[in-house]
């Protein structure tokens, strides 16, 4: 065989082997990047949470501030819960719901802040796909429960002020437990719906979440499949699960305001408004930040405003609630002082 022909044959065989190798490597890469057939698993195994700040100096400051906020929030809410449990004067429906709200506030901040503090300490910004969805589920479970519990508290104030003669029968312990159980059921349905819906999305490209915890708006931006149905679902479920309670709260307090204005004594009006003012403040903070966060899904920008609203939802609101409910409430203040001083109530 001529030498030139041998050279051509060896070259062709080398090209064939290389072409086959390139084809195999391309196929393997596509299998890693594409979802597996018949499953909802995606190529992204973990997300990178960018957090609030990037520089190490500011991370130290953020760590100290958030650790302090977490300790204050947990301590304040557990103090309110202890006062409700120990003080006989606080064994009423209003304080029963307030104790449940304190538990929710502790859970809400615990879902997000300790994990963020751990990442700041370890300088590891990643979170696994499953852990991200778990955090999403529990955050929406507790936030949804918060929403329904605020509605139950508004209904309690409506009965106490507008229907005082039948209040004890309409707001019995059985009714209280049924309201709390129904709130948990609705909140669980809401959280499970959003978690299952987002698990059907494909994440095969960028995995950097411009936030300090996993939430729907930020994950929608990273999906490489259409999120139109998920966004419609969020609006529809939000309208039912958050809109209906808000309408009930507004209706309840419209009747309360009308009833209070009919009270002739100034002291009576002041007392009625003081018991409702704290609850209305919490409602405005909760719904104001929630509407700002979830009604802006059309925006493609992941701005620092989203992080600020996230801090308000997960840290500031739970930290302020004990202050709001105890600041102008002499019964709660007296119970807290007796707990701290180790004294028992005489009633």
């Amino acid at each position: 065989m001529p030498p030139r022909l041998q050279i051509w044959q060896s070259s062709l065989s080398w090209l064939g082997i290389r072409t086959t190798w390139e084809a195999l490597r391309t196929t393997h890469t596509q299998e890693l990047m594409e979802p597996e057939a018949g499953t909802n698993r995606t190529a992204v195994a973990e997300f990178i949470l960018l957090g609030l700040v990037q520089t190490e100096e500011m991370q130290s400051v953020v760590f100290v501030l958030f650790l302090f906020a977490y300790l204050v929030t947990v301590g304040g809410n557990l103090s309110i819960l202890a006062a409700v449990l120990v003080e006989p004067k606080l064994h009423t429906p209003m304080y029963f719901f307030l104790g449940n709200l304190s538990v929710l506030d502790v859970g809400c901040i615990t879902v997000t802040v300790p994990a963020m503090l751990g990442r700041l300490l370890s300088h590891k910004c990643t979170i696994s796909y499953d852990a991200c969805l778990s955090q999403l589920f529990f955050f929406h479970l507790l936030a949804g429960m918060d929403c329904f519990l605020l509605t139950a508290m508004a209904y309690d104030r409506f009965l106490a002020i507008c229907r005082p003669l039948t209040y004890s029968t309409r707001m019995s312990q059985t009714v209280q437990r049924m309201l709390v159980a129904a709130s948990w059921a609705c909140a669980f349905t809401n959280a499970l719906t959003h978690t299952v819906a987002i698990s059907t999305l494909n994440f095969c490209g960028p995995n950097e979440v411009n936030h300090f915890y996993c939430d729907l708006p930020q994950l929608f931006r990273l999906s490489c499949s259409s999120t139109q149905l998920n966004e419609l679902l969020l609006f529809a479920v939000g309208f039912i699960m958050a809109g209906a309670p808000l309408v009930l709260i507004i209706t309840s307090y419209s009747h309360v305001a009308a009833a209070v204005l009919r009270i002739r004594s100034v002291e009576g009006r002041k007392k009625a408004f003081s018991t409702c003012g704290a609850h209305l403040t919490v409602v405005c903070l909760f719904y104001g930040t929630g509407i700002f966060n979830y009604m802006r899904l059309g925006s493609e920008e992941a701005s620092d405003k989203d992080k600020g609203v996230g801090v308000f939802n997960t840290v500031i609101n739970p930290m302020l609630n004990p202050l709001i409910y105890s600041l102008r409430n002499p019964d709660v203040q007296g119970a807290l002082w007796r707990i701290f001083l180790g004294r028992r109530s005489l009633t």
Side-chain angles (χ1 to χ4, degrees):
M1 184 181 293
R4 184 175 294 179
L5 185 57
Q6 288 180 347
I7 294 173
W8 275 103
Q9 284 182 343
S10 60
S11 300
L12 287 173
S13 62
W14 165 249
L15 287 173
I17 293 172
R18 187 172 182 179
T19 304
T20 304
W21 167 250
E22 291 292 339
L24 288 173
R25 190 173 65 175
T26 303
T27 303
H28 181 66
T29 303
Q30 289 175 350
E31 287 177 353
L32 289 176
M33 293 298 294
E34 293 178 359
E36 294 183 14
T39 67
N40 291 327
R41 300 173 67 182
T42 63
V44 174
E46 60 183 17
F47 294 100
I48 299 174
L49 295 173
L50 298 181
L52 295 173
V53 292
Q54 303 298 324
T55 60
E56 290 189 8
E57 293 80 6
M58 289 303 299
Q59 285 179 357
S60 301
V61 174
V62 168
F63 179 85
V64 172
L65 290 177
F66 273 70
L67 179 61
F68 175 76
Y70 180 73
L71 295 176
V72 169
T73 302
V74 173
N77 281 286
L78 291 182
S79 299
I80 295 288
L81 181 61
V84 172
L85 293 175
V86 172
E87 180 65 30
K89 191 183 294 186
L90 303 183
H91 291 173
T92 63
M94 181 178 73
Y95 294 110
F96 170 76
F97 292 126
L98 180 59
N100 279 271
L101 185 65
S102 297
V103 174
L104 291 178
D105 288 337
V106 171
C108 190
I109 195 172
T110 301
V111 167
T112 55
V113 171
M116 185 194 73
L117 295 178
R119 287 190 294 271
L120 289 175
L121 276 179
S122 63
H123 300 285
K124 183 180 178 182
C125 300
T126 59
I127 181 172
S128 68
Y129 176 82
D130 293 334
C132 185
L133 291 192
S134 298
Q135 187 180 60
L136 176 74
F137 171 79
F138 284 107
F139 176 74
H140 281 270
L141 173 67
L142 296 171
M145 180 61 188
D146 213 337
C147 176
F148 293 113
L149 196 62
L150 290 174
T151 308
M153 294 175 74
Y155 178 63
D156 171 73
R157 291 299 84 203
F158 164 74
L159 291 180
I161 295 175
C162 301
R163 304 288 188 271
L165 298 178
T166 60
Y167 175 67
S168 58
T169 56
R170 291 191 178 189
M171 192 53 74
S172 62
Q173 287 189 356
T174 303
V175 174
Q176 297 170 37
R177 291 165 183 164
M178 289 176 61
L179 287 173
V180 172
S183 299
W184 275 113
C186 293
F188 179 82
T189 303
N190 174 58
L192 187 63
T193 300
H194 291 307
T195 306
V196 171
I198 203 165
S199 67
T200 62
L201 298 178
N202 297 326
F203 297 93
C204 52
N207 64 340
E208 290 186 348
V209 180
N210 192 16
H211 217 297
F212 65 96
Y213 66 94
C214 294
D215 202 4
L216 293 173
Q218 289 74 35
L219 293 180
F220 284 166
R221 297 188 185 105
L222 299 181
S223 175
C224 56
S225 55
S226 175
T227 61
Q228 185 174 5
L229 290 177
N230 296 75
E231 293 180 8
L232 289 175
L233 179 66
L234 178 60
F235 280 114
V237 175
F239 181 78
I240 297 171
M241 296 290 189
L246 182 60
V247 170
L248 292 175
I249 291 172
I250 293 173
T251 303
S252 297
Y253 276 107
S254 298
H255 287 87
V256 168
V260 170
L261 291 176
R262 288 196 295 268
I263 299 175
R264 294 185 178 181
S265 66
V266 177
E267 279 297 320
R269 289 185 185 180
K270 185 178 179 181
K271 185 176 180 180
F273 275 124
S274 65
T275 58
C276 299
H279 183 244
L280 281 174
T281 303
V282 172
V283 168
C284 292
L285 290 174
F286 178 80
Y287 275 95
T289 54
I291 290 172
F292 184 86
N293 194 32
Y294 296 108
M295 296 297 110
R296 299 165 56 248
L297 292 178
S299 175
E300 292 294 329
E301 298 179 356
S303 64
D304 290 335
K305 293 181 181 178
D306 295 323
K307 298 180 183 180
V309 173
V311 171
F312 221 97
N313 280 331
T314 61
V315 180
I316 297 179
N317 276 352
M319 185 172 61
L320 288 180
N321 285 349
L323 296 176
I324 293 172
Y325 281 109
S326 63
L327 198 60
R328 299 177 60 185
N329 193 318
D331 293 334
V332 175
Q333 290 178 3
L336 289 174
W337 276 114
R338 281 188 286 274
I339 289 174
F340 293 144
L341 297 176
R343 297 176 181 176
R344 288 184 174 272
S345 175
L346 298 176
T347 57

